[in-house]
Amino acid sequence: GLLKEMAQLFREDIGGRLVAIEAALAAGNLDGIAQEAHAIKGAAGAVGARRLQSFTQEIERGAREKVFGGAAERIASLKPAFDEAAAALDEEAKG
């Protein structure tokens, strides 16, 4: 019950945030990138998704410091890390 609900909420929240961070990247909005990365980092940490958390920590730091070479590649790496974390949560929810 609870794990299944957490997995669903994680998918919905982070899925929307991935779209938002890509839009911020396309607009050159470093503040938006940092904000979305921070939110994803927190959610990832809450469910133990360390790889996703690490990636978003790097992205957030780069955006805040305005030193952001390779931003597109880093942000593109979020989707596979998210998929991996969501699949792990789904497995946990199955028991």
Side-chain angles (χ1 to χ4, degrees):
L2 182 59
L3 279 177
K4 188 174 182 177
E5 187 176 330
M6 275 185 58
Q8 182 62 31
L9 289 172
F10 180 78
R11 280 186 183 281
E12 291 171 5
D13 180 46
I14 303 306
R17 291 191 180 279
L18 290 174
V19 171
I21 201 169
E22 289 172 354
L25 174 66
N29 180 354
L30 292 178
D31 290 335
I33 292 170
Q35 181 180 4
E36 294 301 330
H38 181 79
I40 295 168
K41 180 181 75 176
V47 299
R50 301 293 176 231
R51 184 168 169 236
L52 182 60
Q53 185 181 29
S54 176
F55 287 166
T56 51
Q57 183 174 358
E58 290 175 22
I59 291 166
E60 180 185 10
R61 184 180 309 123
R64 291 203 190 283
E65 294 174 357
K66 311 264 191 265
V67 179
F68 212 58
E73 293 82 11
R74 288 182 185 174
I75 289 173
S77 72
L78 293 179
K79 178 73 168 110
F82 165 69
D83 290 342
E84 178 183 293
L89 281 173
D90 289 343
E91 282 300 313
E92 280 291 316
K94 288 179 186 175

